[in-house]
Amino acid sequence: MVNDDKPIKLKGQQLLLWVRMKYEIIPDDRDGYGPWRVTTRGYVYEVQSASGEAVMSWHWHPTSKMRDPHIHAGHTQLADDAVLSRKHHTPTGRVSLESVVRFCLEDLQADHLRNDWDKVLALREGLFKLHRSWH
C-alpha cells in the first residue's frame, strides 16, 4: 500500500494520484547486487479527479484474466459516443511508477515539492531501468 491506500493530491491541480503496488523481496545472488532486491508483482497507478473518479489508470495484474500491462481511459475523459470505453484494456508495456510521476509533473503540470525533482527522478528511473528484470 502507498500512502495508506489514500490518493495523493497533485499540488497545483484538481487531480489526485492513487498508487497500489504489489511487490516481493527476493534473494539476489548476482555479483555486485543483493543479497536482496524488490521485484514488482503488479500495480495500479491512477490519476483521479478531485472527486475520486478515474481520469487515467495504468494496470498490470499478471495473475488475472487480463495479464498484460494496459491503460484505461477514465469515463471522465470519454464522450457518450466515444469509440473507447473505460472497460477497454489498451495495451502498453510495463510502466514504472517513476514514469507516472514524471507524467504528472511534466504533462499534467503538477507542482513539484523540490527544485531538483528532475535530477532525482532521472536518477531513480535510471536505477530502475538498470536493475529491472524485464525490458
Side-chain angles (χ1 to χ4, degrees):
M1 242 182 292
V2 175
N3 199 40
D4 289 324
D5 208 30
K6 296 177 185 136
I8 301 157
K9 185 176 187 303
L10 296 179
K11 192 175 175 192
Q13 297 293 321
Q14 293 298 313
L15 296 171
L16 307 167
L17 175 62
W18 180 73
V19 175
R20 179 173 281 172
M21 183 181 284
K22 290 183 183 181
Y23 64 89
E24 184 178 358
I25 299 172
I26 61 172
D28 189 346
D29 58 2
R30 296 178 293 172
D31 287 339
Y33 295 83
W36 304 96
R37 70 180 176 97
V38 174
T39 187
T40 305
R41 298 293 188 208
Y43 58 76
V44 176
Y45 311 134
E46 185 169 272
V47 174
Q48 301 174 344
S49 66
S51 62
E53 295 178 284
V55 173
M56 176 161 295
S57 301
W58 294 262
H59 291 200
W60 179 52
H61 30 84
T63 60
S64 71
K65 183 178 155 184
M66 173 50 79
R67 296 183 355 219
D68 295 326
H70 55 277
I71 59 171
H72 294 275
H75 74 275
T76 60
Q77 304 305 299
L78 300 169
D80 291 336
D81 61 349
V83 172
L84 295 176
S85 79
R86 62 189 175 98
K87 295 183 180 188
H88 283 98
H89 298 86
T90 307
T92 66
R94 292 265 304 269
V95 176
S96 68
L97 178 56
E98 293 87 349
S99 65
V100 173
V101 170
R102 182 173 294 284
F103 169 77
C104 291
L105 292 168
E106 291 180 346
D107 294 295
L108 300 180
Q109 299 179 348
D111 292 342
H112 54 79
L113 299 178
R114 49 189 298 167
N115 290 333
D116 63 344
W117 69 268
D118 188 45
K119 180 179 177 182
V120 171
L121 194 55
L123 173 66
R124 301 308 314 161
E125 285 176 304
L127 289 171
F128 170 81
K129 289 176 182 176
L130 178 66
H131 297 292
R132 68 185 174 195
S133 58
W134 51 270
H135 295 280

